[in-house]
Amino acid sequence: MTLTDTLQVSFKTVLSYRIRSLLIILSMALGVAAVVMLTALGDGARNYVINQFSSIGTNLLVVLPGRAETAGAFPGAILGQTPRDLTLKDAQLLGRLPQIRRYAPLNVGAAELSAATRLREVTVLGSNANLIPIRHMKLAQGSFLAHGAEHSAQIVLGAKIANEFFPRSQAIGQRVRLGDRRFLVSGVLAPQGESMGFNTDEIVIIPIDYAQAMFNTTSLFRILVEAKSHDEIESAKQAILTIMKQSHDGEEDITVITQDAILATFDRILHTMTLAGAGIVSISLIVASILVMNVMLVAVTQRTAEIGLLKAIGATSADIRRLFLAEVVWLSLAGAIFGLLLGQFGSLMLRLAYPQFPAWAPVWASIAGIFVTVITGILACLWPASQAARLDAVKALSKK
Amino acid sequence: MIRLTAITRTFHMGDQTVYALNNINLHIASGEYVSIMGPSGSGKSTLLNIIGLLDKSDSGSYELDNRLISDLSETEQAQIRREKIGFVFQSFHLVSRLTAAENIELPLILGGIPATQRQIRVNEALQAFELKQRANHRPSELSGGQRQRVAIARATIMQPSVILADEPTGNLDHQIGAEVMLLLEKLHRSGTTLIVVTHDRELGARAHRQIAMRDGKILTDQSHDAD
């Protein structure tokens, strides 16, 4: 019996047991669809996080006070042991490093913003003009600490704040009161929405010295640093550590986090989670293959007389084994392809429902889905097929 | 061409050993028309199955066309079944999900014969057995006589040298049964060896050589000249 004929005959068999075939195909398809969708979710989550992290800046390093490396998470911050503060002087020192393009010192606090009859609490960022480009924020209008106005009391409003306070009029040029000081609105941020759990639409930005005066502090919350290029991130980190150690009397009491390192960690974690999820969901494929085994065993019993007949008219045991295996190849191939389509459709629905979430199934998952399905299908059918091949022709023929 | 020497076939039922065939010696020449008769349990079907290579004897030797069957591999035996032997069964044994034409085509497919050639041979067979109109009908849509005609067409499509018929008319009424026998006898006249197992005396009497069996043994073996 030729391979083409084997495939053709078994294809006809698959077609003639319509309901049985559809059910097996469906069970396998659901397994494959689950794998595809789960990996789409996992990969989507990974890409989402990467996008979010990339959106906060490029070649970014964050310098924070305290040492985090030896004792886990920020022991100083938790235990109240005050490390040496980061100061504006430190920030200026960093600015002189050759690996560094620009830096932005950062203080964060909350204050009451009022204008005319309106009043609300806002998150206040104190920084310099570099904050906007380093953090990839965009000004819809105006400027922040433009040349020649570095020391004036100016403020940039988040898009939502500007809209709330000045719904009908131009925000720029207006005077607002923040805490107990008056500021001139010099710019409005373009709406950006939330990124990394931080809504830039509801913040205001003021110059760092005003912020320090307002919050009555000389220390900095963070220093954001942008390296000149991707290759210089690591050397910039070392240089920062060295210069800070010198400046802090030989004590290494700061932590430098690179965006790259965080990204790589998240990438690893989420990739592992995707793999683990795919592995768990593959159990449904094993379940489907047990179903295949069961159905094929039933098929052998059902078709006993037919197998006997095939032997009587000259089929070899190998012919019969191949016929059953080919049947399962068709079924699992159909199941895998249908499942793939189903999974892709599900991913598409996810993307439509959550446009910012890039739920694309990775190619490896689709290919692996097809292979795993066909291979488990064949494995599951090996036993039923050999049962069929071993049937005693005389006994098989006597069965009605 | 068929030579059975001291063939014994036993079955075990519980702790009892039943001799389905007990020391059978039989020679059937090419082109003979033989009927094997006997009550049920006499071993006539077992004998037919052994001749058709579906069953194996426990002892004794079987030569078909001067080849010792016990020397052949499973694949070679399958090939002999495919090329030299045609089976016709009491219950037809058609594959219910295939059409008449597809049922007839099965041995050709197993024999690896190319599709274009298969088409021609199946068409010829449909013509010869007056099944042209029914080619695309499934067995459930055919009458008993038509089903057996499909089965005979399938048994003969590879042009075997032996046709083994096990109660070929057992599921048919008298008249249709007679028609089927005429068909088989026509094949015999064209040179095929025909071996018919039956417990119908009238049917058995039509054969030129009549073998009567009981309890696994050959009781009588009579020949009379062709009509």
Side-chain angles (χ1 to χ4, degrees):
Chain A
M1 200 168 179
T2 64
L3 181 64
T4 329
D5 285 333
T6 306
L7 289 173
Q8 242 168 35
V9 168
S10 54
F11 187 70
K12 271 190 214 157
T13 312
V14 167
L15 286 186
S16 60
Y17 291 97
R18 211 161 301 147
I19 292 180
R20 186 207 68 165
S21 299
L22 278 180
L23 286 176
I24 296 193
I25 289 171
L26 188 68
S27 75
M28 293 185 132
L30 287 178
V32 174
V35 170
V36 169
M37 274 193 68
L38 198 106
T39 51
L41 266 176
D43 228 43
R46 199 177 113 238
N47 285 324
Y48 178 73
V49 168
I50 290 173
N51 290 345
Q52 291 275 298
F53 258 102
S54 308
S55 76
I56 65 168
T58 315
N59 307 330
L60 193 66
L61 295 102
V62 181
V63 181
L64 48 153
R67 286 266 296 161
E69 268 172 66
T70 47
F74 314 106
I78 292 168
L79 300 174
Q81 301 162 347
T82 343
R84 225 166 301 250
D85 287 337
L86 280 174
T87 60
L88 269 176
K89 212 183 107 231
D90 290 333
Q92 281 154 9
L93 273 174
L94 295 185
R96 284 189 217 129
L97 288 171
Q99 296 93 338
I100 283 166
R101 172 172 296 153
R102 50 195 169 194
Y103 71 95
L106 187 64
N107 263 345
V108 179
E112 251 171 24
L113 179 70
S114 62
T117 56
R118 292 166 208 267
L119 179 117
R120 72 161 277 185
E121 182 103 342
V122 293
T123 303
V124 181
L125 302 189
S127 190
N128 62 15
N130 286 334
L131 178 71
I132 310 267
I134 287 182
R135 266 294 268 107
H136 284 188
M137 290 193 266
K138 280 190 188 69
L139 284 168
Q141 303 167 311
S143 62
F144 179 54
L145 297 176
H147 237 25
E150 282 93 344
H151 297 288
S152 64
Q154 52 184 286
I155 187 167
V156 170
L157 303 181
K160 195 177 168 205
I161 306 260
N163 200 40
E164 279 172 3
F165 278 84
F166 307 103
R168 271 180 291 276
S169 57
Q170 175 80 282
I172 291 181
Q174 304 275 3
R175 297 212 166 262
V176 296
R177 179 174 284 278
L178 183 67
D180 50 7
R181 297 191 87 111
R182 281 160 68 80
F183 289 85
L184 179 72
V185 176
S186 69
V188 175
L189 287 173
Q192 265 188 310
E194 201 153 324
S195 82
M196 301 300 298
F198 188 71
N199 194 340
T200 51
D201 296 345
E202 295 192 59
I203 57 164
V204 300
I205 306 171
I206 57 173
I208 184 79
D209 19 339
Y210 288 91
Q212 290 196 326
M214 185 180 294
F215 302 126
N216 190 25
T217 174
T218 55
S219 67
L220 294 174
F221 173 63
R222 298 271 187 277
I223 305 173
L224 304 180
V225 177
E226 188 180 317
K228 278 203 174 121
S229 71
H230 189 262
D231 298 332
E232 280 176 281
I233 292 175
E234 204 41 48
S235 77
K237 180 180 174 178
Q238 292 312 322
I240 291 169
L241 284 172
T242 315
I243 200 168
M244 284 294 105
K245 195 170 172 181
Q246 280 169 14
S247 149
H248 289 181
D249 306 326
E251 191 126 12
E252 201 172 291
D253 58 359
I254 59 150
T255 301
V256 181
I257 301 170
T258 65
Q259 185 186 14
D260 253 36
I262 299 174
L263 259 179
T265 308
F266 267 99
D267 190 56
R268 253 197 328 272
I269 292 172
L270 287 164
H271 193 66
T272 312
M273 274 174 61
T274 307
L275 280 178
I280 292 167
V281 174
S282 314
I283 291 174
S284 65
L285 282 176
I286 295 173
V287 173
S289 71
I290 291 172
L291 182 77
V292 169
M293 188 187 284
N294 179 37
V295 167
M296 292 317 283
L297 281 173
V298 172
V300 172
T301 315
Q302 261 178 353
R303 280 185 241 161
T304 300
E306 183 185 322
I307 294 162
L309 168 86
L310 286 175
K311 287 200 165 179
I313 61 175
T316 61
S317 297
D319 284 336
I320 292 180
R321 185 176 301 118
R322 277 197 291 264
L323 274 172
F324 275 88
L325 288 176
E327 203 174 320
V328 165
V329 168
W330 284 120
L331 287 171
S332 43
L333 214 56
I337 290 168
F338 181 43
L340 214 59
L341 294 176
L342 209 64
Q344 296 290 6
F345 179 73
S347 310
L348 175 72
M349 288 292 124
L350 267 177
R351 292 196 297 272
L352 289 178
Y354 305 100
Q356 74 275 33
F357 195 82
W360 291 95
V363 178
W364 63 260
S366 305
I367 293 170
I370 294 181
F371 274 97
V372 170
T373 314
V374 173
I375 288 166
T376 51
I378 289 174
L379 286 180
C381 188
L382 281 180
W383 184 44
S386 78
Q387 292 283 97
R390 263 188 312 195
L391 275 181
D392 180 80
V394 175
K395 279 188 198 144
L397 277 168
S398 66
K399 226 186 124 180
K400 293 278 144 60
Chain B
M1 64 175 297
I2 293 169
R3 185 181 296 278
L4 302 173
T5 315
I7 290 285
T8 298
R9 177 74 171 104
T10 57
F11 293 103
H12 297 278
M13 296 180 93
D15 50 1
Q16 220 179 351
T17 305
V18 181
Y19 281 83
L21 293 177
N22 194 348
N23 195 24
I24 297 283
N25 293 293
L26 181 65
H27 174 250
I28 297 173
S30 184
E32 275 195 87
Y33 176 8
V34 182
S35 68
I36 302 173
M37 284 176 293
S40 50
S42 60
K44 55 190 193 308
S45 287
T46 307
L47 182 60
L48 198 74
N49 287 334
I50 285 183
I51 293 174
L53 309 190
L54 284 181
D55 204 352
K56 283 190 182 63
S57 60
D58 298 317
S59 64
S61 68
Y62 171 22
E63 268 176 71
L64 179 66
D65 290 342
N66 300 320
R67 289 177 79 186
L68 206 55
I69 295 305
S70 53
D71 287 349
L72 301 177
S73 70
E74 199 248 58
T75 313
E76 287 170 315
Q77 292 191 19
Q79 192 186 350
I80 289 180
R81 282 199 295 272
R82 193 158 67 225
E83 291 170 358
K84 292 195 174 168
I85 297 167
F87 272 101
V88 178
F89 304 94
Q90 176 178 7
S91 51
F92 323 129
H93 278 302
L94 300 178
V95 180
S96 57
R97 62 197 140 76
L98 299 182
T99 63
E102 287 166 338
N103 266 291
I104 296 170
E105 194 185 5
L106 270 179
L108 298 172
I109 294 177
L110 290 171
I113 288 158
T116 44
Q117 230 177 306
R118 295 204 298 255
Q119 211 56 49
I120 298 167
R121 282 169 74 167
V122 169
N123 273 328
E124 283 169 3
L126 286 168
Q127 197 89 53
F129 291 92
E130 292 166 40
L131 290 162
K132 204 91 192 143
Q133 309 296 320
R134 310 254 106 197
N136 295 316
H137 291 251
R138 285 169 207 279
S140 57
E141 299 158 344
L142 299 176
S143 71
Q146 287 167 338
R147 289 184 206 184
Q148 197 58 300
R149 290 217 300 276
V150 172
I152 294 171
R154 181 180 64 193
T156 54
I157 191 89
M158 294 290 282
Q159 289 155 339
S161 46
V162 190
I163 288 180
L164 304 176
D166 193 352
E167 304 274 9
T169 61
N171 279 6
L172 302 173
D173 65 35
H174 187 79
Q175 198 210 324
I176 305 287
E179 283 173 26
V180 164
M181 282 316 291
L182 283 174
L183 208 55
L184 288 172
E185 284 160 6
K186 198 170 133 198
L187 290 169
H188 162 246
R189 276 198 297 280
S190 65
T192 316
T193 310
L194 176 62
I195 303 176
V196 180
V197 160
T198 181
H199 59 254
D200 182 340
R201 281 175 188 285
E202 197 188 327
L203 210 64
R206 298 164 69 125
H208 308 147
R209 180 176 171 191
Q210 295 151 25
I211 295 170
M213 289 187 69
R214 184 177 294 167
D215 299 331
K217 287 182 178 158
I218 293 178
L219 222 55
T220 59
D221 184 349
Q222 304 167 313
S223 296
H224 62 82
D225 291 335
D227 306 310

